[in-house]
Amino acid sequence: MEFAGGLREELVRIRRDLHRHPELLYDVARTSGIVAGLLESWGIEVRRGVGKHFGMGVVGTLHGTGGSGPTLLLRADMDALPIQEENDAEYRSIHEGVMHACGHDAHTAMLLGAARTLAAHRHRIRGTIRFVFQPAEEGALRSPLDGRLLSGGRDMIEDGVLDGVDQCFALHVMPELPVGTLGVHPREAMAASSHFTVRFQGASGHHSAPHQAVDALQMAARFVTEVNGLMANRINPAEAAVLAFGTLHAGSAVNVIAADSELRGTFRAFRKETVAAITEGLRRLAATIAEAAGGSYAIELREGIAVVNDEAAVRRIMAAARQVLDEEHVSYLDPPSLAGEDFGWYLDRVPGAFAFIGCGNKEAGIVHAIHQPRFDLDEDVLVHGVRIFVKLAVSTPSHEEE
């Protein structure tokens, strides 16, 4: 643990360098190159170009010499957000309109710090540690192979990063929690965040002869209105579920009936059955509206999945955090968040836990939430995150309280 504490200056340097040079979605060539180079320099087996569809992830594998044991996966995300940074720090983003506003620069630095620490102490590891650095947590792109909209987690999972893994863990910074604390949800942590795009196709015409046209704007307006009924009447009111629109585009001139329209939005829920019900409801509603108007429709969906923690894994990460942060600084969080995270795809296949590590500091003015242009973090969180990852790696599920 003292080794990890001695890395603070290097961790800050890495985090600030990544913060200055943010990269979006799968366009993370610089970040992934830095990650792979550092892992290799520490004697860790590295696989570059991971991802069946986009090939931009990095996986490091460290075999412990302390005896046989399970395979533990630790994940960090590398991508930034299309946000214009408003901070005046010397390490502010050099790229206009792109910013690490969700702390992925810190996540990457923490996992690198853990990798370096564990590589220097591999005699304390029983089993194997797999360090996964993934792109595109913040969104998805259409696969060049099969056209599906895929986030980075799904891309890497389809390339086998979960093969042989017994447990998996990830940390996410949270400015609402003060630095030096950790919170974890006992079961559901975050919702399945699904994105949708609906397009209506009609026929253009003059406003003086609406009977000769098919109004795509009217179809879009009816869809927005009737979705409220779908959510109110087709979804169990005892469940947490929300749908909201983000954009609507239609038409080209003030006196011309719109030939096409496009709506985009998201819906969030916790149960797979609820996600499926909303998905099917959107398809049926769009089809009904288009048929009634004499037009056509197309719908695209990026399905999300809830982040659901495993009970034993929650106990394990809390035990590790208590050794680092003390008992009173580790707690359960409630209620779960309706925000989404693609670590849910990992947890759907392998037991594990997703925990939030505090990075806020009111005295220093570090109070802005993630995804905001003035987001920042107390860099003490970097060492705390390294130490928690290390504690996870040198324990086993049957030795949680060591």
Side-chain angles (χ1 to χ4, degrees):
M1 298 295 282
E2 288 304 315
F3 184 94
L7 296 178
R8 188 184 191 282
E9 184 176 339
E10 182 178 0
L11 296 173
V12 168
R13 179 187 59 77
I14 292 171
R15 181 256 166 171
R16 292 186 177 186
D17 177 69
L18 297 177
H19 194 90
R20 287 190 193 98
H21 303 88
E23 297 175 303
L24 296 173
L25 292 174
Y26 290 102
D27 187 20
V28 292
R30 182 183 187 275
T31 304
S32 61
I34 290 171
V35 167
L38 287 172
L39 294 175
E40 288 170 342
S41 74
W42 301 327
I44 295 173
E45 177 186 323
V46 174
R47 182 182 169 206
R48 299 173 184 248
V50 181
K52 181 178 178 181
H53 301 260
F54 294 94
M56 293 305 299
V58 177
V59 175
T61 301
L62 181 65
H63 300 288
T65 58
S68 61
T71 295
L72 179 72
L73 183 150
L74 305 175
R75 188 217 71 168
D77 32 22
M78 300 185 290
D79 57 320
L81 284 159
I83 292 175
Q84 177 63 45
E85 182 162 12
E86 295 180 2
N87 292 318
D88 294 325
E90 55 89 15
Y91 51 85
R92 64 172 292 159
S93 170
I94 66 171
H95 299 309
E96 291 297 308
V98 184
M99 175 193 175
H100 269 296
C102 199
H104 295 187
D105 51 344
H107 301 165
T108 299
M110 286 189 289
L111 191 53
L112 283 170
R116 182 171 184 185
T117 303
L118 292 166
H121 299 84
R122 64 186 71 202
H123 61 282
R124 296 187 59 189
I125 301 171
R126 290 173 286 179
T128 300
I129 310 299
R130 190 171 297 171
F131 306 98
V132 171
F133 297 84
Q134 77 157 73
E137 190 284 317
E138 295 290 359
L141 290 179
R142 194 171 300 284
S143 166
L145 301 181
D146 58 25
R148 287 181 297 147
L149 287 169
L150 292 176
S151 65
R154 295 186 72 180
D155 188 24
M156 296 188 73
I157 288 169
E158 292 188 14
D159 201 10
V161 297
L162 289 179
D163 293 351
V165 171
D166 296 288
Q167 273 191 330
C168 59
F169 294 91
L171 294 174
H172 199 297
V173 295
M174 178 181 266
E176 290 82 1
L177 294 176
V179 68
T181 64
L182 179 132
V184 59
H185 293 84
R187 186 61 176 166
E188 287 86 3
M190 303 181 82
S193 176
S194 300
H195 296 203
F196 64 88
T197 300
V198 179
R199 298 183 180 91
F200 289 104
Q201 185 68 46
S204 182
H206 196 276
H207 280 186
S208 65
H211 59 292
Q212 297 176 353
V214 177
D215 195 335
L217 194 156
Q218 290 283 357
M219 286 189 277
R222 182 180 168 189
F223 187 83
V224 170
T225 301
E226 295 194 14
V227 156
N228 293 324
L230 165 71
M231 297 299 293
N233 299 319
R234 299 297 301 273
I235 306 303
N236 185 342
E239 296 183 28
V242 62
L243 183 150
F245 292 95
T247 65
L248 190 162
H249 300 285
S252 59
V254 68
N255 60 346
V256 178
I257 290 173
D260 51 64
S261 60
E262 179 188 273
L263 308 101
R264 302 180 69 193
T266 71
F267 61 90
R268 299 149 192 274
F270 289 100
R271 298 177 64 244
K272 291 182 179 179
E273 296 81 0
T274 305
V275 172
I278 296 172
T279 299
E280 180 60 22
L282 292 177
R283 294 186 188 278
R284 289 188 179 186
L285 180 57
T288 298
I289 290 172
E291 182 180 4
S296 61
Y297 82 99
I299 186 167
E300 295 179 354
L301 285 144
R302 190 203 84 180
E303 181 185 357
I305 192 167
V307 177
V308 182
N309 288 332
D310 172 74
E311 182 180 354
V314 167
R315 291 197 304 268
R316 185 177 180 188
I317 197 168
M318 292 186 80
R322 287 185 183 115
Q323 295 179 68
V324 174
L325 305 173
D326 297 328
E327 179 81 27
E328 65 271 19
H329 295 146
V330 180
S331 61
Y332 285 113
L333 295 177
D334 190 64
S337 170
L338 280 165
E341 230 283 357
D342 83 344
F343 194 65
W345 295 107
Y346 296 75
L347 296 176
D348 188 52
R349 293 159 174 77
V350 173
F354 183 84
F356 293 93
I357 185 167
C359 69
N361 186 329
K362 291 182 179 179
E363 290 74 19
I366 300 174
V367 296
H368 297 282
I370 60 173
H371 290 221
Q372 292 189 8
R374 295 189 62 194
F375 167 81
D376 205 348
L377 49 84
D378 185 323
E379 290 172 323
D380 284 349
V381 70
L382 301 175
V383 173
H384 296 321
V386 169
R387 286 173 167 163
I388 292 170
F389 276 141
V390 169
K391 283 293 185 183
L392 284 169
V394 299
S395 69
T396 66
S398 60
H399 295 78
E400 296 165 19
E401 302 297 335
E402 284 186 351

